[in-house]
Amino acid sequence: MRKTALIPASVTRGEPQQRCLARDVFDRIGDKWSVEVIYNLTEGTRRFTELRREIDGISQRMLTVTLRALERDGIVRRTVFPVVPPRVEYELTPLGETLRSLIGALVDWSTEHTADVDAARLDYDRRVPETL
Amino acid sequence: MRKTALIPASVTRGEPQQRCLARDVFDRIGDKWSVEVIYNLTEGTRRFTELRREIDGISQRMLTVTLRALERDGIVRRTVFPVVPPRVEYELTPLGETLRSLIGALVDWSTEHTADVDAARLDYDRRVPETL
DNA sequence: CGGTATCCACAGAGATACTG
DNA sequence: CAGTATCTCTGTGGATACCG
């Protein structure tokens, strides 16, 4: 049992694949922050605090947890420089790069179709007004 | 206030886009079941109970909630046939089809790289054994 | 700077029972 | 068949304080 309070289920679970593979990929990147972390590693390496500044609203703890999970899955490489004060750099691995391009496609999809989705919501809320 | 117990935040939230667009797409499909529902609508229409059987582990309530959210976003079309017993069919809209192809790419990625991820995890757990 | 260690709140999800 | 209505529980994620 390597489960601790700091690094919870996201890292612990999923060792064998007994489920649909579609679930696997989304257990991996479907949490609240992984996508934004990967996306923010697009242009080269980032330091911990840089990521913290660039990703709006993420807490220190969740950035740590997310980066550790991505590191364990071989998507992010973590490099510690033995200097004072500490310097830690994060970058995508080649594997992470392949995933990042897919995420880029999803972001593009979102950008292109936001208007469609908003229109669909307005339409739905008109058609199904006070029911539910 | 159209929020109820049955249809919670997933449907209620996200009317304007004030966040990063990357977040939007994952608020939409990043929940526990949306991806599998969309994926199971790949080959034509499905009835409620068919989906329930095909998607392992989903509860009746979560299938309803997920389908309603996808319907509201214009990703799934819901057709009710006024017969007894009731017959309701679900299918992807054209918009949903474009999203499904991206999800297909993610599933393919997952299939192709499962071994890599598993290897990375084993390696990580050896390198960072009992720490944390 | 780059983390850990705790504590805690709340939304997401499960189980169960009931219905047009 | 295709849902609703509740009740409950769990885990995710936030806040805060401290450390090498």
Side-chain angles (χ1 to χ4, degrees):
Chain A
M1 181 90 85
R2 66 198 318 283
K3 180 175 183 176
T4 72
L6 214 211
I7 310 291
S10 2
V11 174
T12 304
R13 80 180 159 207
E15 327 233 326
Q17 71 273 28
Q18 49 201 1
R19 301 172 169 286
C20 174
L21 292 169
R23 278 254 53 86
D24 278 353
V25 71
F26 270 82
D27 287 346
R28 191 160 298 130
I29 65 165
D31 65 298
K32 192 172 179 184
W33 296 110
S34 288
V35 169
E36 280 191 280
V37 169
I38 293 172
Y39 201 66
N40 273 277
L41 288 173
T42 299
E43 299 149 15
T45 71
R46 286 282 185 284
R47 298 184 61 174
F48 187 88
T49 307
E50 287 177 333
L51 286 171
R52 186 149 156 59
R53 268 199 307 269
E54 289 170 13
I55 300 172
D56 189 55
I58 197 170
S59 66
Q60 196 168 20
R61 176 176 167 273
M62 288 318 297
L63 182 54
T64 302
V65 169
T66 304
L67 284 168
R68 287 292 196 285
L70 292 173
E71 185 195 4
R72 187 168 105 104
D73 286 348
I75 291 167
V76 160
R77 172 162 33 245
R78 175 170 181 266
T79 310
V80 182
F81 297 88
V83 296
V84 177
R87 176 183 188 87
V88 181
E89 287 187 349
Y90 294 91
E91 63 188 319
L92 292 178
T93 63
L95 178 63
E97 276 297 339
T98 66
L99 180 57
R100 197 209 59 77
S101 68
L102 296 181
I103 287 174
L106 279 173
V107 174
D108 292 344
W109 184 92
S110 171
T111 308
E112 290 167 24
H113 296 291
T114 303
D116 297 333
V117 172
D118 285 344
R121 288 183 179 177
L122 288 172
D123 184 51
Y124 182 91
D125 293 346
R126 249 190 322 99
R127 278 161 34 221
V128 194
E130 296 307 319
T131 323
L132 293 187
Chain B
M1 181 89 84
R2 65 199 318 283
K3 181 175 182 176
T4 73
L6 213 209
I7 311 291
S10 0
V11 173
T12 304
R13 80 180 160 207
E15 328 233 327
Q17 71 274 26
Q18 50 201 0
R19 298 173 170 285
C20 174
L21 292 169
R23 278 254 54 84
D24 277 353
V25 72
F26 270 81
D27 287 347
R28 192 159 298 130
I29 64 164
D31 66 298
K32 193 172 179 184
W33 297 111
S34 289
V35 169
E36 281 192 280
V37 168
I38 293 172
Y39 201 66
N40 273 277
L41 288 172
T42 298
E43 300 150 14
T45 71
R46 285 284 184 285
R47 297 185 60 176
F48 187 87
T49 307
E50 287 177 334
L51 287 171
R52 187 149 155 58
R53 268 199 307 269
E54 289 170 14
I55 300 172
D56 190 56
I58 196 170
S59 66
Q60 197 166 19
R61 175 176 167 273
M62 288 317 297
L63 182 53
T64 301
V65 169
T66 304
L67 284 169
R68 287 292 197 284
L70 293 173
E71 186 195 1
R72 187 169 105 105
D73 286 348
I75 291 166
V76 160
R77 173 163 32 247
R78 175 171 180 264
T79 310
V80 182
F81 297 88
V83 295
V84 177
R87 177 183 187 86
V88 181
E89 287 189 350
Y90 295 91
E91 63 187 320
L92 292 177
T93 63
L95 178 63
E97 275 298 338
T98 66
L99 179 57
R100 197 209 59 77
S101 68
L102 296 180
I103 288 175
L106 280 173
V107 174
D108 292 344
W109 184 92
S110 172
T111 308
E112 289 166 25
H113 297 291
T114 303
D116 298 333
V117 172
D118 286 344
R121 288 183 180 179
L122 287 171
D123 184 51
Y124 182 90
D125 292 346
R126 249 189 323 100
R127 277 162 33 220
V128 194
E130 297 307 320
T131 325
L132 293 190

